Amino acid sequence: MKQKLPEPMQLAFAEAEAAAARGEVPVGAVIVAASGEVLASAGNRTLEDHDPTAHAELLAIRAAAKTLGSERLIDCDLYVTLEPCAMCAAAISFARIRRVYFAAGDEKMGAIEHGPRFFCQATCHHTPEVYSGIGEAEAKIMLTDFFKARR
């Protein structure tokens, strides 16, 4: 039986699907305020923008910060379809995001539960609550199908 995903994660998956349709790695991210209001959503745009930093998480963080008029996203939550990399984990920390919910772990490039485990480092200024595995099976299938079609 397919897991019922929280609405923000459903939106993140929709962003990931749209990214895949554009030929981007299918990752989507959503930033939600404490009130439940969706502040921003984005899918990967590294190819489209010719920008190696145009990861879904960074694009959503930038948009949410602009919406709030603040570089701090205190009391905001991030939903993302893939475990954030080190660059995105640093941005999450700098933005002071309250919680991170992610679907699939990323053994190669992930930096929260894999690799450098960014939030466990003494140099990390802010550590959000982290919840993983939310829609993991769906995210893995989406990523596997995307890369199979590319090879």
Side-chain angles (χ1 to χ4, degrees):
M1 182 201 282
K2 201 171 184 182
Q3 178 183 2
K4 173 72 171 143
L5 299 175
E7 198 170 310
M9 189 61 89
Q10 291 176 27
L11 181 54
F13 271 93
E15 289 284 358
E17 289 169 4
R22 297 189 309 271
E24 302 277 1
V25 174
V27 177
V30 174
I31 305 272
V32 179
S35 66
E37 175 190 2
V38 173
L39 298 173
S41 65
N44 274 358
R45 286 200 321 250
T46 60
L47 299 174
E48 183 179 332
D49 290 359
H50 306 288
D51 180 356
T53 70
H55 290 197
E57 301 96 317
L58 288 182
L59 296 170
I61 288 169
R62 289 174 188 152
K66 190 171 187 172
T67 295
L68 292 177
S70 174
E71 74 283 7
R72 301 282 189 245
L73 301 179
I74 296 166
D75 293 330
C76 292
D77 299 335
L78 169 68
Y79 291 79
V80 62
T81 59
L82 185 65
E83 178 180 0
C85 69
M87 174 179 67
C88 293
I92 290 163
S93 179
F94 292 148
R96 305 297 194 265
I97 289 175
R98 176 177 61 176
R99 295 185 192 111
V100 175
Y101 299 88
F102 70 86
D106 185 351
E107 291 180 18
K108 184 175 180 183
M109 293 299 295
I112 294 177
E113 292 183 350
H114 296 90
R117 299 179 189 265
F118 189 88
F119 300 136
C120 296
Q121 301 303 316
T123 54
C124 181
H125 295 290
H126 168 77
T127 302
E129 294 175 31
V130 176
Y131 302 91
S132 62
I134 302 159
E136 180 175 25
E138 294 93 330
K140 283 183 176 181
I141 290 167
M142 183 184 299
L143 288 159
T144 300
D145 289 350
F146 176 82
F147 286 111
K148 272 186 191 173
R150 296 269 177 248
R151 295 187 174 122

